[in-house]
Amino acid sequence: MAVNKKIILRRIRSVKNTRKITKAMELVSAAKMKRSTEAVIGSRPYVEKLRAMVARIAQSRDISEHPLLVRREGRERVLLLLVMSDRGLCGGYNVQLARRVRQFLAEHAEGVHVDVIAVGKRAGHAAKRLGLTLKELYTNVTVSPTASHARPMVRQILEGYSSEVYDDVFLAYTDFRSAIHQVPRVMTLLPMTKMFEEFGTAPTHVFDEASREAPPAQSEAAPDALFEPDQETVLDLALTHITESMVYQALLESSASEHSARRMAMQNASEAALEMIDALTLTYNQARQAAITQEIAEISSGKAALE
């Protein structure tokens, strides 16, 4: 079958234009990923100081019966904070987290009513596909999350848990490990029984792996500290701010993971477009060479006929 050179040229131009778009999206995602990673690293010292304060209070009194720390018997209704993206074109970012949530529900929430606070349009769609009850949907958050985005979510979570509407609260997000590696994760948010559990693993020179193997050792004869107005009030505020910080950091981790996944997807798309351009160019050159050869053969045949 004859190859139409005009059609091939049109396809080459189309693929080149597409590659320009994917390359631009790759560069934009790389810049956003850098900013999100810096925000993740910058948020860590605040959480560490709050946890150290709680540990200091725990040295002088029993805090295990605090409403945000005590574990309730049985599990009838739980709340899941699900963080995904608003847009697509980010590879398997959303699909992998949805698969992890489905696995978690099958293992730990069989026969339990699950309400969902969804962050991102894709999270709302995933909640409906999984047959979960969507209580709230927050959009346009993960592109550039701020602490003000986390506060209404935390307020709704604390109200539901304190009023014993929910027995457990879980947080589903994507943990940013590196530019090419992100891990979907589901963790317990409330009750806050694992206060010093490692949260987020973005690389940082401030908190290296050696310093995070265990919390700083406290001396048994630690000097007394003055808490104003009292330890109970400080503990309530500290645990509330830790919950807020964990939600905010999950938003940052998810944002960095989303931009990283989109950068990789656009990079792969740009490379695929370049390969397609090379293949189409080769096909065009072959068709052009065949046409030239045919024209030479026709001229030679016409000349031979005249002779």
Side-chain angles (χ1 to χ4, degrees), residues 11 23 68 75 81 94 178 195 218 224 235 294:
R11 289 190 62 188
K23 194 65 178 178
L68 297 183
R75 181 184 292 167
L81 178 61
N94 294 309
S178 68
M195 185 62 62
Q218 299 288 341
D224 293 336
L235 180 63
Q294 183 178 357

Side-chain angles (χ1 to χ4, degrees), residues 83 93 142 172-174 249-259:
V83 184
Y93 167 76
T142 56
Y173 70 104
T174 303
Q249 193 169 353
L251 295 178
L252 294 175
E253 298 267 359
S254 298
S255 178
S257 299
E258 176 188 346
H259 294 315

Side-chain angles (χ1 to χ4, degrees), residues 74-103:
R75 181 184 292 167
E76 297 181 358
R77 189 167 184 173
V78 302
L79 179 64
L80 175 66
L81 178 61
L82 180 59
V83 184
M84 289 185 177
S85 67
D86 287 289
R87 299 178 296 147
L89 299 177
C90 49
Y93 167 76
N94 294 309
V95 175
Q96 292 175 2
L97 182 56
R99 187 182 298 118
R100 178 68 185 90
V101 171
R102 185 181 292 108
Q103 177 186 357

Side-chain angles (χ1 to χ4, degrees), residues 81 150 153-154 157 171 189 243-251:
L81 178 61
M153 306 175 197
V154 174
I157 290 171
L171 176 60
L189 184 62
T243 305
E244 181 178 318
S245 299
M246 293 174 73
V247 172
Y248 175 49
Q249 193 169 353
L251 295 178

